[in-house]
Amino acid sequence: MSEPGPTVHIGVPVVRAAEPRDVPRIAATLTVALAESRWVRWALPLDGRTQRLTRLAELDAGHRGVATGTTWVSEDVDAVASWDAPAGAATPVPADVRAALEREVPRLHADRADAVAGTEAQLTAALPEGPHWRLRALATRPRSRRRGLGGAVLAAALARGDADGVAAALVAPAWAVVRFARGLGFEVTQATRSADGQLPLWVAVRPPGVPMPEL
């Protein structure tokens, strides 16, 4: 597998691998951008929702993504993209981070934990069977939207996949996300719903080598 570079320059935006110092701002960006998203309202209970989202983002896109080298940010961390890498393409999750995720994530989801876990198990069968990059989180702060930052932070992992001949995949909880992803070469492969039937979901896959649009 090709090695990631420390910084990716794509047009005007500067994109780089996230660093430990970025973790608080990663959590803040995801919280501001996603607090009212359909997935968050479905997956996290109303009681303490904002705090739950911040901690979840800190653990997953922050500590996990930084440790494994699978979270990319814009220079000001106003845009964040966090991924699961295929085997061998990233540093393994450290034991302490894995333990924190296993301990805290079910508590953060609280009474939604079973539905979230059941949905994840269901989606496993819908995602590509072979190696692929899976998008876990994408967020841009409202003040920085329409500047190409979302596509720029995604492009870092897409370029890795293209170099290695590996597909990328995502699960979208809203059709607006599907429309955005289509502009980057993703196509819907399955429409489904969450395990409890409450949340519509679209699985989209991008084969390696699809030309990237001008950003």
Side-chain angles (χ1 to χ4, degrees), residues 8-87:
V8 179
H9 295 269
I10 306 172
V12 175
V14 175
V15 175
R16 57 181 174 80
E19 303 171 5
R21 64 185 173 91
D22 298 318
V23 170
R25 192 162 178 84
I26 287 169
T29 291
L30 287 166
T31 300
V32 168
L34 302 180
E36 297 302 318
S37 71
R38 185 180 293 178
W39 183 88
V40 167
R41 287 185 281 114
W42 170 79
L44 298 175
L46 181 60
D47 177 34
R49 180 175 287 161
T50 299
Q51 293 79 10
R52 292 172 189 271
L53 173 58
T54 298
R55 181 55 176 161
L56 185 63
E58 181 181 57
L59 284 169
D60 194 69
H63 293 301
R64 183 200 60 81
V66 168
T68 59
T70 55
T71 291
W72 283 270
V73 297
S74 59
E75 186 58 39
D76 54 8
V77 200
D78 271 12
V80 178
S82 185
W83 299 77
D84 267 336

Side-chain angles (χ1 to χ4, degrees), residues 47-215:
D47 177 34
R49 180 175 287 161
T50 299
Q51 293 79 10
R52 292 172 189 271
L53 173 58
T54 298
R55 181 55 176 161
L56 185 63
E58 181 181 57
L59 284 169
D60 194 69
H63 293 301
R64 183 200 60 81
V66 168
T68 59
T70 55
T71 291
W72 283 270
V73 297
S74 59
E75 186 58 39
D76 54 8
V77 200
D78 271 12
V80 178
S82 185
W83 299 77
D84 267 336
T91 303
V93 180
D96 60 335
V97 175
R98 184 182 299 278
L101 287 164
E102 291 174 353
R103 180 179 65 250
E104 294 195 44
V105 169
R107 177 182 61 80
L108 293 170
H109 287 297
D111 62 349
R112 303 301 301 151
D114 287 346
V116 171
T119 300
E120 183 60 27
Q122 178 179 299
L123 289 170
T124 298
L127 290 164
E129 291 185 4
H132 62 277
W133 287 81
R134 180 185 173 182
L135 184 65
R136 295 180 67 91
L138 172 67
T140 303
R141 287 181 180 249
R143 69 187 182 195
S144 296
R145 290 173 183 166
R146 302 186 184 280
R147 289 168 44 196
L149 292 180
V153 291
L154 284 177
L158 297 181
R160 288 283 310 278
D162 287 348
D164 297 332
V166 172
L170 59 82
V171 179
W175 191 249
V177 179
V178 174
R179 288 199 303 268
F180 172 76
R182 279 179 161 174
L184 296 172
F186 287 83
E187 290 297 336
V188 172
T189 57
Q190 184 170 330
T192 184
R193 299 190 77 85
S194 57
D196 61 1
Q198 294 182 13
L199 184 69
L201 297 167
W202 291 269
V203 178
V205 177
R206 177 188 181 274
V210 174
M212 286 291 295
E214 293 288 335
L215 299 174

